[in-house]
Structure formats: structure tokens, C-alpha cells
């Protein structure tokens, strides 16, 4: 890896060649490790850090090392597999270190699940078939849980509440359509509203006889 002093984006290169700045660099594997394949080493590191959601070089290199190990196929890291994993990480767009680690786990779990699916489809041995099936089931359940965890983290842990049916009394106003709010919204107490309506009806029934007496007196 290059040891450039900073991961700051070179403004001149980004401004003069936006297409180059937007392109994600590839990782080249060798017996010594891996390197970022980009004509501008500093820009290449910045683009890779942005793609992985890494805040500094150490974080970027750490996530890359983990993805390289997770890309192993046939006993050695696979460049095509690694490029796919980095592309998936970039498409999800992790925004901080927590999301970067979680998204790296997500793409790794997906790759392992597809390997298990391959073993399941190609295995003739009953024991290997059952082992692959159990592993695939666990990984398939883990992946949607990771998606839920990412969505919950991005919404700051507040589950969304969707109101679909709203009853409106006379004189009230309603919004047509679904209304979604977070859990911090205070929901009115139905019992309290019901008690208020009953009290209003009771007051009306008490006023009924008095009104009738007043009407008879006026006619007399």
C-alpha cells in the first residue's frame, strides 16, 4: 500500500476529471498482499475509503484485509469475488464506521450463503448435503436481520409507526393517505377521548328537560 500523508481528496484532479474521480478503483492481489489499482495513488485511496465508508487509512486497510479473506475461493483470495464485494459495499453507501463494519459483514454473509447454496446443489453425499443446508439456512436468516439492524441504526433506533385508518368527527380535519411517524410521537389516549364524548352526551341529555320547560313557559 502507498503511504500518502493524507486521504484528502485532490481538488485539482477531481475538478479536471469528474469521470475519473467517480470511478471506483480495483484491488490487485499478489503474493505480497493487495494494492489499489489506480493511476493516482492518493485519489485511489480516497475513492476506496469513500466506497468502504472508512474514515482513515487504517480503517480502510483493515476492512479491505477482511474482505480479501472473505473472498477466498479454492484456498486463495479471488479478485473477481473481491471486486463484487467491494461493489456491493459501495452500492449500500456506508456513512460511518459502524455502517462500514456492518455492511462488510452483510456482503460476506451473502457470499458465504451462495457458497453453501453451490455446495448444496452439487453435493451427492447426504452428510455434506445436510451440513450445507443447515449452514445456508442460518446465513439466510442472518442476512435480513443485518438489513434490519442497518435500517434501525440509520433511523437512530426509532421504529416507524404507520397510521392507515383515521376516524374524523364532525368539524375535524384529516390527511388523505398514510401518515408515518417515529415512536417518539405521542399517541392520544382512546379511553380519554371516549370519556369526553360520553360526558358531552350526558350534558346534552340533562339540558333537554330544562329546555322543554323554558319553551312551555314562554308559550304561556
Amino acid at each position: 500500500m502507498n503511504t500518502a500523508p493524507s486521504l484528502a481528496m485532490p481538488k485539482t484532479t477531481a475538478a479536471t476529471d469528474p469521470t475519473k474521480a467517480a470511478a471506483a478503483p480495483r484491488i490487485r492481489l499478489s503474493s505480497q498482499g493487495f494494492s489499489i489499482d489506480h493511476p493516482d495513488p492518493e485519489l485511489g485511496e480516497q475513492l476506496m475509503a469513500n466506497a468502504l465508508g472508512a474514515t482513515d487509512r487504517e480503517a480502510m486497510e483493515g476492512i479491505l484485509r477482511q474482505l480479501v479473506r472473505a473472498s477466498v475461493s479454492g484456498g486463495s483470495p479471488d479478485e473477481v469475488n473481491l471486486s463484487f464485494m467491494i461493489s456491493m459495499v459501495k452500492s449500500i453507501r456506508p456513512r460511518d464506521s459502524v455502517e462500514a463494519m456492518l455492511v462488510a459483514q452483510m456482503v460476506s454473509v451473502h457470499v458465504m450463503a451462495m457458497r453453501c447454496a453451490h455446495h448444496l446443489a452439487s453435493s451427492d453425499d447426504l452428510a455434506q448435503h445436510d451440513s450445507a443446508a443447515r449452514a445456508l439456512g442460518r446465513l439466510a436468516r442472518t442476512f435480513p436481520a443485518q438489513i434490519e439492524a442497518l435500517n434501525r441504526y440509520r433511523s437512530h433506533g426509532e421504529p416507524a409507526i404507520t397510521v392507515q385508518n383515521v376516524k374524523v368527527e364532525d368539524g375535524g380535519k384529516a390527511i388523505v393517505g398514510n401518515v408515518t411517524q417515529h415512536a417518539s410521537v405521542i399517541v392520544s389516549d382512546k379511553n380519554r377521548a371516549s370519556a369526553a364524548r360520553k360526558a358531552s352526551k350526558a350534558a346534552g341529555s340533562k339540558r333537554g328537560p330544562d329546555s322543554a320547560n323554558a319553551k312551555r313557559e314562554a308559550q304561556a
Side-chain angles (χ1 to χ4, degrees), residues 180-201:
T180 301
Q181 293 289 346
H182 288 291
S184 58
V185 176
I186 299 176
V187 181
S188 60
D189 189 345
K190 293 182 179 180
N191 294 331
R192 187 176 300 173
S194 177
R197 288 196 296 271
K198 290 180 180 179
S200 177
K201 290 180 180 179

Side-chain angles (χ1 to χ4, degrees), residues 14-57:
T16 56
D17 192 353
T19 303
K20 177 182 177 183
R26 294 179 64 88
I27 297 297
R28 294 300 180 188
L29 301 175
S30 65
S31 57
Q32 287 77 30
F34 61 87
S35 61
I36 299 175
D37 184 18
H38 197 279
D40 185 334
E42 188 175 352
L43 177 59
E45 289 190 354
Q46 177 63 50
L47 292 173
M48 183 58 67
N50 292 342
L52 299 177
T55 57
D56 52 43
R57 180 175 291 103

Side-chain angles (χ1 to χ4, degrees), residues 49-203:
N50 292 342
L52 299 177
T55 57
D56 52 43
R57 180 175 291 103
E58 287 74 17
M60 177 192 67
E61 292 183 352
I63 293 176
L64 279 177
R65 280 193 298 269
Q66 293 169 348
L67 291 176
V68 167
R69 295 188 184 111
S71 72
V72 170
S73 178
S76 60
D78 183 84
E79 276 192 16
V80 175
N81 209 13
L82 179 61
S83 295
F84 164 76
M85 297 172 76
I86 293 175
S87 176
M88 291 299 99
V89 171
K90 181 182 178 182
S91 67
I92 300 175
R93 299 177 182 176
R95 301 177 297 186
D96 56 30
S97 298
V98 173
E99 291 191 10
M101 292 185 289
L102 181 56
V103 172
Q105 293 176 27
M106 291 170 62
V107 298
S108 300
V109 165
H110 170 75
V111 168
M112 288 187 287
M114 300 311 295
R115 286 178 187 164
C116 290
H118 170 69
H119 293 324
L120 182 61
S122 59
S123 176
D124 295 327
D125 183 83
L126 182 59
Q128 294 180 357
H129 187 279
D130 290 344
S131 176
R134 288 194 298 271
L136 177 59
R138 289 193 295 268
L139 293 168
R141 290 189 295 271
T142 299
F143 188 74
Q146 291 173 322
I147 295 176
E148 182 181 355
L150 178 61
N151 289 335
R152 188 165 56 248
Y153 178 78
R154 285 183 170 177
S155 63
H156 306 291
E158 294 184 356
I161 299 175
T162 302
V163 180
Q164 294 180 330
N165 299 315
V166 180
K167 182 179 180 181
V168 183
E169 301 293 341
D170 293 341
K173 296 181 180 179
I175 300 174
V176 179
N178 293 340
V179 180
T180 301
Q181 293 289 346
H182 288 291
S184 58
V185 176
I186 299 176
V187 181
S188 60
D189 189 345
K190 293 182 179 180
N191 294 331
R192 187 176 300 173
S194 177
R197 288 196 296 271
K198 290 180 180 179
S200 177
K201 290 180 180 179

